[in-house]
Amino acid sequence: MQDTILKIEHVSKFYPGVTALNDVSFTLQKGEVRALVGENGAGKSTLIKCIMGVEKPNQGKISMNYNGEWVVNANAVEAQAHGVFANYQHVNIAPDLSIAENYFLGRQPKNALGMVDWKKMAQDSKKIIDKFEMGVDPLEKIRELPIAMQAMVTISKISVNEDIRIVIFDEPTALLENEKVDILFRFIAELKARGVSIIYISHRLEEIMQICDSVTILKDGTYVDTLPIESVTKDSLIQKMVGRPATDIYNIAHFEPGEELLRVENFSDTSHFKNIDFSLHQGEILGFFGLVGAGRSEIMRALTGVEKRLTGDVYLRGKKANIKNPTDALHSGIGFLTEDRRADGCALKLDIKTNVNMSSYDMISTGGFVNLRKETKRAQEYSKNVNVKTPSISQLVGNLSGGNQQKVVIAKLLCRDPEILIFDEPTVGIDVGAKQEIFKLIEGLTAQGRGVILISSYLPEVMGLSDRLIVMAQGKITAEYDKEALKTLTEEDVLRMASIED
């Protein structure tokens, strides 16, 4: 029988107005890959923080078996000293340092003179980079990497540690392409073979069925069950997670496209995309798919003035528009939900009310004074419209679950009543229930005659929701599929077009 390495005993954690965890108990065995599932708000992130020593339970105890002795990690430093490491959902690395510096932060190799041995650090980093097939320079700054490659750096960084006992992966594949997912799974199998225990959090249930030995389900901060993976199905897991049967979450209403809202012509920049042309119509969902580096997000950032382009014109309802910055885009009726909601979408240390109104205070201000009654009313109205689950609009956004943070960003965009909405990876790191709610929001927007551009790295999502699908590879459009073609299109067809090389 496997040895128990982690015991979670009657753990409860409370925040103002919120019970994040309520009397949760279970154990983890040495060399076991345990899935931890539940809707956003189920308590998964809070439990991770408690295991890592970042947060302390208000009640109960979390202890681990370290060389035969049961220890309680008082903080994150102690947890890492005892071999507990976490790969968090949001990329957690020093952006202004190089890959090598991030790998060996706090543990730089020294030469005979006691100075940092930069050459050895670069050489050792290159070995890790090669192992994870990343194809980057160890001296390259993190900030210069695509966000998907940043995610891969955080995953590979774990391998630098020699004494690993427990690793927590929180949505590790959310930003990875298929090839990198396979590399991650090989790494997990390697860790398991070494007797390392894994806690694996993912809303992609097919991954859980593929790589996990068992699954623990949380719901509304309470423990539901722990089951061997062979005794569950995706549908039965969803039933336990959300308390209702699984349905086809992509089954939303579609509408006949109306007038042209947006036309982009001859879009090019220095290195990410070239000669891009597309249009968007009323009531239409236009999907974009491509592998990492294809240029999808960069096009949208250039379209909305976040980044510059070399050539290209934008037409809104047939009239040429001069969009120089994100403010111009907002005032022109374009709302952009970026792929990194925490960095670009919301202010985590501010409350919901401020976040929802953040982009539209000019609409409720006179002579430089904000109408506080309208500020509150709009925050309440739009939060309710997108179903933000919170005890109050005074709640800090940083205290919300990932799905509710995403809804706050959408509410902020809707406050300006945009005609065009660009959703870049809108469901990264959120659960099946929150996904359904966002898909229904998209359905409601298109029913009103708005146009939606959807970027997703998850093929079932972008194929299941789009009225038209544009596929990109290496900065160019390689295929476009209309509604009829999408009915018979396979994932293999799309991946083939997304893998075309010059």
Side-chain angles (χ1 to χ4, degrees):
M1 184 175 176
Q2 291 175 305
D3 298 324
T4 300
I5 192 168
L6 183 70
K7 291 194 295 189
I8 297 165
E9 301 173 278
H10 305 290
V11 167
S12 296
K13 179 65 180 178
F14 311 112
Y15 298 104
V18 177
T19 299
L21 295 170
N22 185 19
D23 196 28
V24 173
S25 299
F26 64 88
T27 60
L28 179 69
Q29 309 304 312
K30 183 179 180 182
E32 181 181 13
V33 182
R34 171 72 60 83
L36 183 63
V37 302
E39 291 188 277
N40 280 93
K44 304 184 301 295
S45 296
T46 302
L47 184 58
I48 290 173
K49 292 174 184 176
C50 290
I51 294 171
M52 288 300 302
V54 176
E55 297 273 9
K56 292 185 179 180
N58 295 107
Q59 298 171 5
K61 182 173 71 170
I62 298 176
S63 54
M64 69 171 292
N65 187 339
Y66 185 72
N67 295 337
E69 292 186 13
W70 287 97
V71 298
V72 175
N73 296 314
N75 51 53
V77 174
E78 279 193 18
Q80 292 197 7
H82 290 140
V84 187
F85 297 91
N87 173 207
Y88 292 105
Q89 176 180 331
H90 304 287
V91 176
N92 189 25
I93 41 182
D96 293 314
L97 298 182
S98 69
I99 297 172
E101 287 171 312
N102 269 275
Y103 279 157
F104 291 96
L105 195 61
R107 62 179 76 207
Q108 296 94 334
K110 302 292 176 65
N111 58 26
L113 298 175
M115 307 292 287
V116 174
D117 191 334
W118 296 102
K119 183 177 181 182
K120 177 173 172 52
M121 195 161 76
Q123 290 173 341
D124 290 348
S125 297
K126 182 67 163 57
K127 292 176 184 177
I128 299 169
I129 288 168
D130 290 345
K131 175 181 177 179
F132 286 85
E133 301 177 23
M134 294 160 63
V136 291
D137 185 337
L139 301 182
E140 194 166 355
K141 293 281 194 295
I142 295 294
R143 189 181 296 282
E144 297 167 357
L145 300 174
I147 191 167
M149 191 59 71
Q150 293 181 28
M152 202 66 197
V153 171
T154 63
I155 291 168
S156 58
K157 183 180 177 181
I158 293 169
S159 67
V160 178
N161 305 287
E162 296 177 358
D163 186 24
I164 308 175
R165 309 294 177 97
I166 300 171
V167 179
I168 301 168
F169 288 103
D170 186 5
E171 297 289 350
T173 64
L175 297 168
L176 301 183
E177 58 189 81
N178 291 347
E179 178 186 338
K180 294 295 187 286
V181 171
D182 292 339
I183 294 169
L184 167 65
F185 288 174
R186 289 204 302 268
F187 180 45
I188 289 174
E190 174 191 315
L191 291 172
K192 179 182 176 180
R194 288 166 46 189
V196 176
S197 302
I198 308 289
I199 295 176
Y200 190 86
I201 299 172
S202 177
H203 295 304
R204 297 181 178 181
L205 298 184
E206 63 271 18
E207 296 178 358
I208 286 169
M209 306 300 293
Q210 180 181 344
I211 67 166
C212 294
D213 301 311
S214 56
V215 55
T216 291
I217 303 113
L218 299 180
K219 179 174 171 58
D220 298 328
T222 62
Y223 173 84
V224 176
D225 208 349
T226 295
L227 299 163
I229 204 69
E230 59 268 17
S231 71
V232 300
T233 64
K234 287 170 60 176
D235 286 353
S236 69
L237 274 181
I238 292 172
Q239 175 80 51
K240 284 181 174 289
M241 286 164 53
V242 305
R244 58 182 182 273
T247 55
D248 183 0
I249 62 174
Y250 308 118
N251 186 25
I252 64 172
H254 291 266
F255 308 94
E256 283 300 315
E259 296 179 11
E260 181 185 86
L261 296 177
L262 169 72
R263 187 168 78 254
V264 169
E265 293 184 351
N266 193 33
F267 248 42
S268 299
D269 77 347
T270 53
S271 57
H272 299 105
F273 53 88
K274 188 175 182 181
N275 301 329
I276 301 297
D277 300 284
F278 66 88
S279 61
L280 175 72
H281 296 78
Q282 285 182 318
E284 182 180 37
I285 302 172
L286 175 63
F288 272 78
F289 178 80
L291 303 179
V292 173
R296 307 161 306 165
S297 298
E298 288 81 1
I299 290 171
M300 302 309 157
R301 293 173 75 84
L303 168 61
T304 54
V306 178
E307 295 176 2
K308 292 184 178 180
R309 61 184 186 271
L310 289 180
T311 65
D313 297 311
V314 178
Y315 295 87
L316 298 174
R317 287 190 173 272
K319 295 182 179 179
K320 192 171 182 178
N322 185 21
I323 298 173
K324 296 179 179 178
N325 53 57
T327 301
D328 288 345
L330 280 172
H331 290 171
S332 299
I334 303 175
F336 182 26
L337 185 145
T338 67
E339 63 181 329
D340 190 347
R341 61 174 173 263
R342 293 171 70 89
D344 302 327
C346 53
L348 299 176
K349 295 183 179 180
L350 298 180
D351 58 26
I352 295 170
K353 179 171 67 175
T354 306
N355 271 272
V356 170
N357 285 284
M358 190 176 292
S359 297
S360 53
Y361 272 115
D362 60 305
M363 299 171 72
I364 55 171
S365 300
T366 305
F369 292 95
V370 174
N371 185 318
L372 299 180
R373 185 182 60 82
K374 288 184 179 179
E375 179 191 36
T376 299
K377 183 181 178 182
R378 282 159 61 88
Q380 290 173 333
E381 176 186 342
Y382 284 96
S383 295
K384 182 179 179 181
N385 288 348
V386 300
N387 197 25
V388 177
K389 296 181 176 67
T390 176
S392 164
I393 59 171
S394 298
Q395 180 74 264
L396 297 183
V397 171
N399 291 339
L400 301 176
S401 67
N404 283 305
Q405 289 178 6
Q406 194 76 308
K407 292 176 192 175
V408 168
V409 182
I410 294 172
K412 180 185 76 171
L413 297 179
L414 295 181
C415 246
R416 288 211 71 92
D417 196 28
E419 198 167 35
I420 298 163
L421 286 123
I422 302 170
F423 292 137
D424 192 353
E425 304 287 4
T427 62
V428 164
I430 65 175
D431 64 82
V432 64
K435 283 182 182 181
Q436 283 183 301
E437 289 180 329
I438 287 176
F439 298 159
K440 283 296 180 183
L441 277 171
I442 291 174
E443 176 188 74
L445 293 170
T446 52
Q448 296 166 13
R450 306 185 204 226
V452 173
I453 295 175
L454 172 67
I455 300 173
S456 178
S457 298
Y458 190 45
L459 259 178
E461 179 173 279
V462 74
M463 292 176 66
L465 295 174
S466 299
D467 295 305
R468 270 191 304 133
L469 177 62
I470 289 175
V471 183
M472 293 188 62
Q474 297 187 354
K476 297 179 180 178
I477 293 175
T478 56
E480 183 173 335
Y481 302 100
D482 61 18
K483 188 177 294 186
E484 284 303 310
L486 280 168
K487 292 178 181 178
T488 57
L489 194 65
T490 67
E491 292 187 23
E492 289 75 15
D493 294 332
V494 177
L495 285 170
R496 192 177 304 114
M497 298 308 297
S499 304
I500 291 176
E501 297 183 3
D502 287 337

